[in-house]
Amino acid sequence: MEGQKRIRVGLLGLGTVGGGVYRMLLDNQGAIERRSGARLEITRIGVRDANRERDVPAELVTCDLESIVADPEIDVIVEVIGGLEPAGDLIRTALANGKPVVTANKEWMAKQGQAYVRYAAEHGLDLHYEAAVGGGIPLIQPLKHQLAGNDMVRMMGILNGTTNFILTRMTEEGAEFGDVLRDAQAAGYAEADPTADVDGFDAQYKLAILSSIAFGKEVDPETVYREGIRRVGKRDIEFADLLGYRIKLLGIVSSSGQDHLQARVHPTMIPKTHPLAAVSGVYNALWFQGDFVGDVMFSGRGAGSDPTASAVVGDLVDIARNLVSGGKGSAIPVGPKVASDPIESLETSYYVRLTVLDRPKVLGTIANLFGEYDVSLAAMEMRTLSAEKGEIVFMTHRCQEGRFRPAIEAVGDSSVVDRVENWIRVEG
Amino acid sequence: MEGQKRIRVGLLGLGTVGGGVYRMLLDNQGAIERRSGARLEITRIGVRDANRERDVPAELVTCDLESIVADPEIDVIVEVIGGLEPAGDLIRTALANGKPVVTANKEWMAKQGQAYVRYAAEHGLDLHYEAAVGGGIPLIQPLKHQLAGNDMVRMMGILNGTTNFILTRMTEEGAEFGDVLRDAQAAGYAEADPTADVDGFDAQYKLAILSSIAFGKEVDPETVYREGIRRVGKRDIEFADLLGYRIKLLGIVSSSGQDHLQARVHPTMIPKTHPLAAVSGVYNALWFQGDFVGDVMFSGRGAGSDPTASAVVGDLVDIARNLVSGGKGSAIPVGPKVASDPIESLETSYYVRLTVLDRPKVLGTIANLFGEYDVSLAAMEMRTLSAEKGEIVFMTHRCQEGRFRPAIEAVGDSSVVDRVENWIRVEG
């Protein structure tokens, strides 16, 4: 198309996501030009090692990333390096040089990004980060725009594909965590060091980002309660199934009164009838409840080269339209930093699995102990394991975690209880 | 908040949706001001009968709708009257007077709206219509923005809540269409004249709107194939269940080669494992497959006062941000009108239910008849109905509808067949 505005993109990082962005801008040039009103062209690519063989023209590639964000010939910066530094420093410099930025960097966005959204808004720049949460699923922009009129009631999400893949395989195959993790690592679905995924850090960053948008306040990621999936056993998954539940690693945030919110990431039992229960494998999903819209769910591929590239390019199309129309950028700043309420103030139900000694009055003793902490029981399953031992599963009624924790400690210390095998929070 | 820009909204229509918009702007004023950077205030309301009792200040209300779209004191127009006229005329005048417009009008958008999106784009105005499809579910803007980099492969949607409610009840209760429709009418879930919903017109308009965005070409709604749910029997739903399927009224559009697309609305059998199969009751959903993003699904309440208000207010927030930032509007025009390919060129599988006479060679005769038209059979179920009659259900392999139609006609004319009870298209 002649006469189209040409927008020069500086790409920082040419890993999985960067490669996808490069391909998508070439492959779908026609559709992108039509929708953005501009010709988006990657004119410089910053990498760590310039000598590696790559499928991109060598003359675009440089190791001098600083020179890209300083280059007056570059209109927009795409940051897909990840991690806090040097990514954060490059984004800051790009913005200071008046360049709009697209980033897929969840850790930087969760820990430092909102300050730069404020800076961007003040300077009429765009700082877009759709790819930081949920891969290709549109989440951030719909929350900021189409759902913006709602007061948020609750949000629950499957925000990490690796853990959802592991839990799905454990459920389908009746396998234990360690075995499935090893398989997933061998197949490339899990990292050699799986900590960021299986211990919930990745989901914690993403939930902090989503919570900040939904509440309009910067939610400190360090205060988002975090628990990973290592403790989930195949036996828990079996009992969950029996009781009508699935176990998912959920990020959950809800309003807990004026200017208070509670954000938490942990394995959660949800009813099989809940739409999130059916989201399996590497899929991610966000279930949002607003006061007017009711409940809305978004699902799709939460990671991978092509889906993440889709989100980055969507952000680029938005920025291009702004540059073409002379708009001043649409960064939406959120209010100052707030902390999530401590987990002890949570009110929910709990699933508890115990190994007990096969003696008289076991049940009564345990029920009385819970009762002393005002924790009342809603359901129970019991199995004989051997001549000396049995297995008991309880579901409690809703109670405060501040009461539940000492109760479960007291139960563990009881002479009739061999071991508290596990306990898991339950969503109604 | 002092110093906030005040944006004066003219509301055309104070029915279900209009009332919701009015309440939402009042109830959620704080969140809306924070996110839009402006104070959105409804300063005039146009209604048909000014004398009816209403929960809004009487001084805002007028019957002179033309005066609202002409009023220089009005910054934005919200049209929630519906239907072609006078709604269309009012929108046209509003745009001609330089006012951005939000509309929830699916019929006008499908039949005439894209010409005015072009006009709006040329004049730097916004013409937003998120509420026209899927109630409060963000669909239009995510397709236009976050998914804009994708070439669309296929899109399937449950776009009408009334028919999904009826089909869900038929499935859950083993009831017939007519009985459930009467119940739904009594409960207010279906209109006294249910034609627009049950005969698929509503879904046809919505699919035309979505297809236009996804393909970047104005899709003529009259060429979108349309079939309602009146023919679906409880017996079909039972057989579908037996074969592993659910029956849903789907809007489906796919690319059928360079510059060709096929858009259709009809009852469809989809596997129970497909995410759309689990979308029940009045919920709507859109399943989108893009070349980079893979498959993405959006679901939520597709109608009703509050969810639809949520979409209208989301559009208002966007427009307010544009007005505040001095942006030129973000209407994205699509290309000139195209027709959907005729249904005869469709390639799919079919479910067929026949009543047959209980004679020798019935099966062979039918199978041979299908064979003469190159329609091959994939599965079969047979039941005895009485001494003289039996029931046969076939699933065909994929074949062209242009071959299937004469085949099923020939089968109906066969002396061994009493009646072709029904046939339904099947998605893989």
Side-chain angles (χ1 to χ4, degrees):
Chain A
M1 295 190 202
E2 285 176 48
Q4 287 278 42
K5 190 178 169 75
R6 180 168 168 250
I7 291 176
R8 297 154 303 181
V9 179
L11 179 64
L12 307 178
L14 193 64
T16 314
V17 178
V21 172
Y22 184 84
R23 266 186 302 111
M24 193 173 190
L25 286 179
L26 281 185
D27 289 1
N28 292 357
Q29 213 172 45
I32 293 166
E33 282 193 28
R34 184 165 45 70
R35 285 167 182 149
S36 65
R39 186 182 183 83
L40 285 154
E41 217 173 297
I42 293 180
T43 52
R44 295 191 71 189
I45 302 174
V47 299
R48 199 174 300 182
D49 173 7
N51 294 318
R52 243 178 70 193
E53 280 283 326
R54 289 188 178 85
D55 289 338
V56 300
E59 66 271 22
L60 300 186
V61 178
T62 174
C63 285
D64 183 1
L65 280 69
E66 288 289 342
S67 76
I68 298 181
V69 293
D71 187 344
E73 305 279 297
I74 293 286
D75 302 303
V76 188
I77 292 294
V78 171
E79 183 278 307
V80 286
I81 307 169
L84 291 183
E85 297 300 339
D89 200 49
L90 291 163
I91 297 174
R92 284 187 290 272
T93 311
L95 291 171
N97 288 335
K99 297 185 201 307
V101 172
V102 178
T103 176
N105 195 324
K106 53 191 169 265
E107 185 177 1
W108 183 79
M109 268 315 303
K111 291 183 174 168
Q112 305 176 9
Q114 292 300 340
Y116 296 93
V117 172
R118 253 169 251 136
Y119 177 92
E122 280 159 19
H123 291 77
L125 291 169
D126 284 312
L127 171 54
H128 281 352
Y129 48 101
E130 185 62 66
V133 185
I137 315 166
L139 293 180
I140 311 253
Q141 295 286 353
L143 285 176
K144 288 204 291 194
H145 295 270
Q146 291 88 57
L147 299 170
N150 286 272
D151 270 336
M152 204 267 274
V153 178
R154 204 155 61 126
M155 195 158 71
M156 303 204 286
I158 295 171
L159 302 174
N160 179 271
T162 303
T163 46
N164 203 43
F165 175 81
I166 292 173
L167 290 172
T168 301
R169 288 280 295 266
M170 287 175 70
T171 305
E172 286 172 357
E173 296 165 17
E176 287 289 6
F177 170 78
D179 299 327
V180 176
L181 175 61
R182 265 188 302 278
D183 279 4
Q185 286 171 318
Y189 289 118
E191 307 277 340
D193 175 1
T195 306
D197 294 316
V198 304
D199 293 317
F201 291 97
D202 177 81
Q204 185 190 38
Y205 299 146
K206 291 170 175 170
L207 183 64
I209 293 172
L210 293 172
S211 303
S212 300
I213 297 165
F215 281 99
K217 294 192 174 63
E218 182 179 349
V219 176
D220 182 355
E222 309 290 345
T223 67
V224 172
Y225 179 79
R226 178 189 52 75
E227 209 181 287
I229 64 166
R230 290 186 198 265
R231 285 196 310 140
V232 177
K234 79 175 202 189
R235 201 81 183 117
D236 300 315
I237 289 177
E238 285 164 11
F239 273 113
D241 186 57
L242 197 72
L243 295 159
Y245 292 85
R246 291 272 176 265
I247 299 177
K248 296 284 182 189
L249 181 69
L250 295 189
I252 305 177
V253 62
S254 55
S255 168
S256 47
Q258 185 69 31
D259 280 337
H260 274 270
L261 62 94
Q262 182 149 58
R264 50 198 167 104
V265 170
H266 52 69
T268 311
M269 280 173 48
I270 46 167
K272 288 179 195 172
T273 51
H274 193 285
L276 284 172
V279 176
S280 58
V282 296
Y283 280 70
N284 282 20
L286 185 73
W287 184 86
F288 172 90
Q289 212 181 357
D291 62 346
F292 272 75
V293 77
D295 54 314
V296 170
M297 194 168 99
F298 308 80
S299 60
R301 288 169 191 280
S305 168
D306 287 3
T308 312
S310 168
V312 169
V313 171
D315 280 350
L316 275 175
V317 167
D318 249 25
I319 289 177
R321 291 190 56 80
N322 256 336
L323 292 176
V324 168
S325 78
K328 276 201 298 179
S330 65
I332 301 186
V334 298
K337 203 175 264 194
V338 296
S340 167
D341 284 353
I343 193 71
E344 285 73 17
S345 66
L346 174 69
E347 248 196 64
T348 192
S349 312
Y350 299 84
Y351 150 97
V352 177
R353 179 163 61 93
L354 308 172
T355 309
V356 296
L357 304 177
D358 203 359
R359 290 200 197 145
K361 298 192 185 163
V362 165
L363 267 181
T365 310
I366 296 170
N368 286 341
L369 270 171
F370 275 122
E372 280 173 29
Y373 293 87
D374 276 345
V375 176
S376 65
L377 303 177
M380 198 265 292
E381 291 279 340
M382 197 166 173
R383 299 274 182 284
T384 302
L385 293 176
S386 68
E388 296 92 38
K389 289 191 184 166
E391 184 175 42
I392 302 187
V393 164
F394 290 104
M395 298 282 272
T396 76
H397 282 294
R398 284 174 72 84
C399 64
Q400 216 175 37
E401 182 137 340
R403 285 183 181 280
F404 175 79
R405 287 191 177 223
I408 196 72
E409 205 167 310
V411 166
D413 289 344
S414 157
S415 62
V416 300
V417 171
D418 184 47
R419 225 171 95 90
V420 176
E421 299 291 345
N422 206 358
W423 55 270
I424 296 174
R425 298 175 191 86
V426 181
E427 280 295 313
Chain B
M1 295 188 201
E2 286 175 48
Q4 286 278 43
K5 188 179 171 76
R6 178 167 170 252
I7 291 175
R8 297 156 300 183
V9 178
L11 179 63
L12 307 179
L14 194 64
T16 315
V17 178
V21 171
Y22 184 85
R23 268 188 300 113
M24 192 173 193
L25 286 179
L26 281 185
D27 289 2
N28 292 358
Q29 212 170 47
I32 293 167
E33 282 192 28
R34 185 167 44 69
R35 285 168 182 149
S36 64
R39 186 182 183 83
L40 285 154
E41 217 174 296
I42 292 180
T43 52
R44 295 191 71 188
I45 302 175
V47 299
R48 200 174 300 184
D49 173 7
N51 295 317
R52 244 178 69 193
E53 281 283 324
R54 290 190 178 84
D55 289 340
V56 301
E59 66 271 22
L60 299 187
V61 178
T62 175
C63 285
D64 184 1
L65 281 70
E66 288 289 341
S67 77
I68 299 182
V69 294
D71 187 344
E73 305 279 295
I74 294 286
D75 302 304
V76 188
I77 293 293
V78 171
E79 184 276 308
V80 285
I81 308 169
L84 289 184
E85 296 301 338
D89 200 47
L90 291 162
I91 298 174
R92 283 187 290 270
T93 312
L95 291 171
N97 289 334
K99 297 186 201 309
V101 172
V102 177
T103 177
N105 195 324
K106 53 191 167 266
E107 185 178 358
W108 183 78
M109 270 313 303
K111 290 183 174 168
Q112 304 176 11
Q114 291 301 340
Y116 297 93
V117 172
R118 253 170 252 136
Y119 176 92
E122 279 159 19
H123 293 77
L125 292 168
D126 283 313
L127 171 54
H128 280 352
Y129 49 100
E130 185 62 63
V133 185
I137 316 165
L139 293 180
I140 310 254
Q141 295 285 352
L143 285 176
K144 287 205 291 195
H145 295 269
Q146 291 88 56
L147 298 170
N150 287 271
D151 271 335
M152 204 266 273
V153 178
R154 204 155 60 128
M155 195 158 71
M156 303 204 288
I158 295 172
L159 302 174
N160 179 272
T162 304
T163 45
N164 203 44
F165 176 80
I166 293 174
L167 290 172
T168 302
R169 289 280 294 269
M170 288 175 69
T171 305
E172 285 172 357
E173 298 164 15
E176 286 291 5
F177 170 77
D179 299 326
V180 177
L181 175 61
R182 265 187 303 278
D183 281 5
Q185 285 171 321
Y189 289 117
E191 307 277 340
D193 175 2
T195 307
D197 294 317
V198 304
D199 293 318
F201 291 96
D202 178 81
Q204 185 191 38
Y205 298 147
K206 291 168 174 172
L207 183 64
I209 293 171
L210 293 172
S211 302
S212 300
I213 298 164
F215 280 99
K217 295 192 172 65
E218 181 179 349
V219 176
D220 181 356
E222 310 289 346
T223 67
V224 172
Y225 179 78
R226 178 189 52 76
E227 206 180 290
I229 64 166
R230 291 187 198 265
R231 284 196 311 140
V232 177
K234 79 174 201 189
R235 202 78 185 118
D236 299 316
I237 289 176
E238 285 164 12
F239 273 112
D241 186 58
L242 196 74
L243 296 159
Y245 293 85
R246 291 273 177 264
I247 299 177
K248 296 284 183 190
L249 182 68
L250 295 189
I252 305 175
V253 59
S254 54
S255 168
S256 47
Q258 184 72 32
D259 280 337
H260 275 269
L261 61 92
Q262 182 148 59
R264 51 197 167 104
V265 171
H266 53 69
T268 311
M269 283 174 47
I270 46 167
K272 287 179 195 172
T273 51
H274 193 284
L276 285 171
V279 176
S280 58
V282 297
Y283 280 69
N284 283 20
L286 185 73
W287 184 87
F288 172 91
Q289 212 182 357
D291 62 345
F292 272 75
V293 76
D295 54 313
V296 170
M297 193 168 99
F298 308 81
S299 60
R301 289 168 191 280
S305 168
D306 287 4
T308 312
S310 167
V312 169
V313 172
D315 281 349
L316 275 174
V317 167
D318 249 27
I319 288 176
R321 294 189 55 78
N322 255 338
L323 292 175
V324 168
S325 78
K328 277 200 299 176
S330 65
I332 302 185
V334 299
K337 202 175 264 194
V338 295
S340 166
D341 285 352
I343 193 71
E344 286 72 18
S345 67
L346 173 69
E347 249 198 60
T348 191
S349 311
Y350 299 84
Y351 151 96
V352 177
R353 179 163 62 91
L354 308 172
T355 310
V356 297
L357 304 178
D358 203 357
R359 290 198 198 148
K361 298 192 187 165
V362 165
L363 267 182
T365 308
I366 296 169
N368 285 341
L369 270 171
F370 276 121
E372 279 173 30
Y373 293 87
D374 274 347
V375 176
S376 65
L377 304 176
M380 198 265 292
E381 291 280 339
M382 198 166 172
R383 299 275 182 283
T384 301
L385 293 177
S386 68
E388 296 92 38
K389 288 189 184 170
E391 185 175 42
I392 301 187
V393 162
F394 291 104
M395 298 281 272
T396 76
H397 282 293
R398 285 174 72 84
C399 64
Q400 217 175 34
E401 184 138 338
R403 284 182 181 281
F404 175 78
R405 288 192 177 221
I408 196 72
E409 204 167 309
V411 166
D413 290 343
S414 158
S415 61
V416 300
V417 172
D418 184 47
R419 226 171 94 91
V420 176
E421 299 291 346
N422 206 359
W423 56 269
I424 295 174
R425 296 174 192 86
V426 181
E427 280 296 313

